[in-house]
Amino acid sequence: MTDYKERLALLTEMIAFSVVDGRLHERECLFLTMIAEELQVSKADFKSLFHQEEYPVVIKSEFERIQQFYRLALLMHCDGVLHEREQIKIHEIGINMGLNPHAIKRVLKAMEASPNKMIPPEFLLEVFQEQLN
């Protein structure tokens, strides 16, 4: 992802998702900070995103949509509490991204069963690729 505005939009979406349960947990904030650094977003721009509305962004690449979905799923689990609102919202976001609902459920179940809530990248891609065949 090369466009800076796209990266800001992705982070804005993640910030909006992080407060779906009514609060921003410290672990969620740390996770968002790590993602901002990974996406090479300046600290000033990152902080300003907390005061903006969510602007939907269309992610063209399927790989980038899957990657963003996984980031959101990790964010959902990082505070250690899985809220019903988060579960509903992540399904909604995944479907709006054009991801297969069955693959979404499989990935989320695998993450829930994992002790550290992470899954191997190969498994993640495999689940979504199966749906294309």
Side-chain angles (χ1 to χ4, degrees):
M1 179 164 305
T2 57
D3 184 47
Y4 195 71
K5 288 182 182 180
E6 286 178 357
R7 290 182 272 163
L8 291 175
L10 291 176
L11 276 171
T12 302
E13 177 182 44
M14 292 182 75
I15 290 167
F17 181 70
S18 69
V19 293
V20 136
D21 61 359
R23 69 180 218 129
L24 179 64
H25 191 275
E26 184 180 342
R27 285 183 173 171
E28 291 172 327
C29 190
L30 290 172
F31 183 76
L32 289 166
T33 303
M34 286 177 13
I35 297 297
E37 289 171 3
E38 177 187 311
L39 294 175
Q40 298 177 338
V41 170
S42 74
K43 287 182 182 182
D45 286 344
F46 175 63
K47 286 182 181 182
S48 75
L49 294 177
F50 286 89
H51 306 287
Q52 291 183 9
E53 292 183 33
E54 179 182 0
Y55 300 107
V57 62
V58 178
I59 306 171
K60 295 177 184 164
S61 158
E62 182 183 20
F63 176 75
E64 288 177 352
R65 289 194 311 261
I66 293 167
Q67 188 178 30
Q68 179 67 357
F69 174 79
Y70 185 57
R71 283 187 198 119
L72 290 168
L74 287 171
L75 179 60
M76 179 174 73
H77 287 287
C78 75
D79 64 357
V81 180
L82 192 57
H83 294 274
E84 184 181 349
R85 290 169 125 182
E86 291 173 323
Q87 291 176 322
I88 293 168
K89 186 67 175 177
I90 196 147
H91 276 72
E92 192 178 295
I93 290 170
I95 289 168
N96 288 338
M97 287 179 167
L99 299 175
N100 182 287
H102 181 68
I104 291 169
K105 286 180 185 177
R106 279 192 61 199
V107 166
L108 293 175
K109 277 188 178 185
M111 289 179 76
E112 204 170 320
S114 170
N116 63 0
K117 307 304 180 205
M118 296 177 75
I119 56 174
E122 301 82 20
F123 174 78
L124 177 67
L125 294 174
E126 180 183 305
V127 168
F128 285 102
Q129 292 297 319
E130 282 177 2
Q131 302 307 313
L132 297 177
N133 293 332

